[in-house]
Amino acid sequence: MSAIGPYFDKDKVNFTRTDPYVVVPNILTQKECKGILKYVYKTERVSEPRLGAGKIERGVRDTEIYYFKHTKLKNKIENIIVNNNPWNIKVDSCEFFQLGVYKKRGHYSWHVDTTDLYSYSRKLSFSIILNDPSEWKGGKFQMFSALDRKGNPIIKTVNNLNRTGTMLLFPSETYHRVTPVTEGQRISLVGWAWGP
């Protein structure tokens, strides 16, 4: 398997807490992000984004998707999530990765990432920005956090995802979306941590 970059042995991680998510800056270097893109585009084929029962719903999700595995990257991210999740949610492994390319009008409507497999569930989700945020407009990551006193939804836009290699970590049961990209393209690496 190709090397993505030389910096997978860093253990020092600085978390910035903002409920209901945490932001981990500089989880990947720019060189590693470029290496991931090169690796994925060279070795994987684009897949159609499918929802429940394998149905394609472009009104719900309009992205190019690449699924891939990479052991060093998995070990690094898994170690950070398992040992540092601030909610103390019991997780012990990550599944394969999904690289999403949001081109103009690309989006993903409100959804949760939870799924169960036997006695295991997706517990934590993460998203890492792989290209420079100056390369696109729109494509905001938003989360539904609560209801106000009148019963209206409180939507939080995650504004501190403004650097390549920054990770957003949140419980998989949290409703979230990516608003339509209006210019350029937004590229993110997403994945999920599982636990009993």
Side-chain angles (χ1 to χ4, degrees), residues 73-187:
L73 181 60
K74 178 183 180 290
N75 291 343
K76 175 180 181 165
I77 291 174
E78 199 170 83
N79 182 54
I80 290 167
I81 293 172
V82 168
N83 294 316
N84 295 286
N85 91 70
W87 302 279
N88 295 315
I89 295 172
K90 183 166 175 45
V91 293
D92 53 26
S93 62
C94 289
E95 71 179 86
F96 56 81
F97 298 108
Q98 184 186 96
L99 185 136
V101 180
Y102 294 78
K103 295 183 176 179
K104 190 170 182 180
R105 289 183 290 283
H107 67 280
Y108 197 169
S109 298
W110 290 111
H111 66 285
V112 294
D113 294 338
T114 52
T115 190
D116 297 327
L117 185 63
Y118 305 108
S119 60
Y120 259 59
S121 300
R122 278 183 182 169
K123 301 285 187 159
L124 294 171
S125 300
F126 64 87
S127 179
I128 303 172
I129 299 300
L130 294 183
N131 63 327
D132 193 297
S134 67
E135 295 176 16
W136 79 86
K137 290 185 179 175
K140 299 286 186 188
F141 195 102
Q142 295 183 323
M143 306 183 96
F144 168 74
S145 62
L147 297 174
D148 66 16
R149 291 181 188 188
K150 295 180 181 178
N152 298 314
I154 298 170
I155 308 301
K156 290 188 176 186
T157 298
V158 182
N159 290 316
N160 44 355
L161 286 178
N162 55 3
R163 291 192 68 183
T164 307
T166 297
M167 175 195 277
L168 172 68
L169 179 65
F170 57 96
S172 297
E173 63 191 17
T174 307
Y175 274 91
H176 58 284
R177 72 177 175 183
V178 176
T179 64
V181 170
T182 56
E183 286 183 30
Q185 68 178 15
R186 175 190 189 275
I187 306 173

Side-chain angles (χ1 to χ4, degrees), residues 9-27:
D9 298 325
K10 290 182 180 176
D11 346 276
K12 190 173 180 182
V13 176
N14 297 314
F15 279 84
T16 303
R17 175 86 189 233
T18 312
D19 284 333
Y21 59 87
V22 292
V23 173
V24 188
N26 306 316
I27 191 77

